[in-house]
Amino acid sequence: MVFARFAVVSLLALLPQVVAAQSAADREGVRLAVLDYVEGFYQGDTARLMRSVSPEVRKYGYDLATPSGPYVGEAMPFRDFLAYANRIRTGRSRTPANAVKDIVLFDVQDQTASAKLTAWWGTDYLLLAKDHGRWIILQVLWQSPPPK
């Protein structure tokens, strides 16, 4: 009986370390997925986009066509992710020098996560899921920078 109590107490004492290790690995996996996403766009690297973004991604955002104009909503399907990255890679589009890429992880669980990315084009709010052990982006809601 004493041994059984000792075993249970020992197991419970170790459990937070196991959970913390998993959480740290998941947090890093989410951070790397968001980094692949932004650097895939910045560098024109379609392999990084394909690694971090589901082909079934839903990206929708609001852009200011003019500083005083209203926001205009637009969807960006996965094929447009790849087309944009190809334009960067071939030099038809450019990433601004010193483009910001600030990643904030909001919530990382064992299967789902949320994050915020501030990039040169504005702010992206991302929802991710773990798919076969790999973190991928499933949904993005974004807006261009607010007027100053």
Side-chain angles (χ1 to χ4, degrees):
M1 184 68 144
V2 172
F3 178 75
R5 282 190 205 167
F6 175 75
V8 169
V9 169
S10 296
L11 183 60
L12 291 175
L14 293 175
L15 187 59
Q17 293 173 348
V18 172
V19 171
Q22 179 186 9
S23 177
D26 284 332
R27 290 184 70 77
E28 181 63 5
V30 169
R31 189 188 71 75
L32 290 173
V34 176
L35 190 61
D36 273 347
Y37 167 81
V38 67
E39 289 186 352
F41 280 125
Y42 279 13
Q43 299 169 2
D45 188 341
T46 56
R48 290 184 87 164
L49 289 171
M50 293 176 71
R51 181 171 59 215
S52 63
V53 179
S54 169
E56 296 156 5
V57 67
R58 299 285 183 243
K59 181 171 182 174
Y60 194 86
Y62 296 90
D63 189 26
L64 282 173
T66 63
S68 61
Y71 283 98
V72 176
E74 63 182 287
M76 183 178 198
F78 186 68
R79 70 177 178 276
D80 290 354
F81 283 45
L82 303 179
Y84 180 85
N86 283 324
R87 287 194 305 275
I88 292 288
R89 186 175 40 77
T90 60
R92 290 179 286 159
S93 292
R94 286 207 151 62
T95 299
N98 300 319
V100 64
K101 55 180 171 190
D102 182 36
I103 299 169
V104 177
L105 303 182
F106 288 135
D107 189 28
V108 178
Q109 297 183 42
D110 59 339
Q111 186 64 40
T112 61
S114 60
K116 174 184 175 184
L117 167 68
T118 304
W120 74 264
W121 59 76
T123 304
D124 287 11
Y125 294 95
L126 305 111
L127 296 178
L128 301 91
K130 193 186 295 185
D131 184 41
H132 296 93
R134 182 174 56 102
W135 286 99
I136 59 168
I137 298 164
L138 294 175
Q139 296 183 359
V140 181
L141 178 64
W142 71 276
Q143 81 162 57
S144 60
K148 294 181 180 183

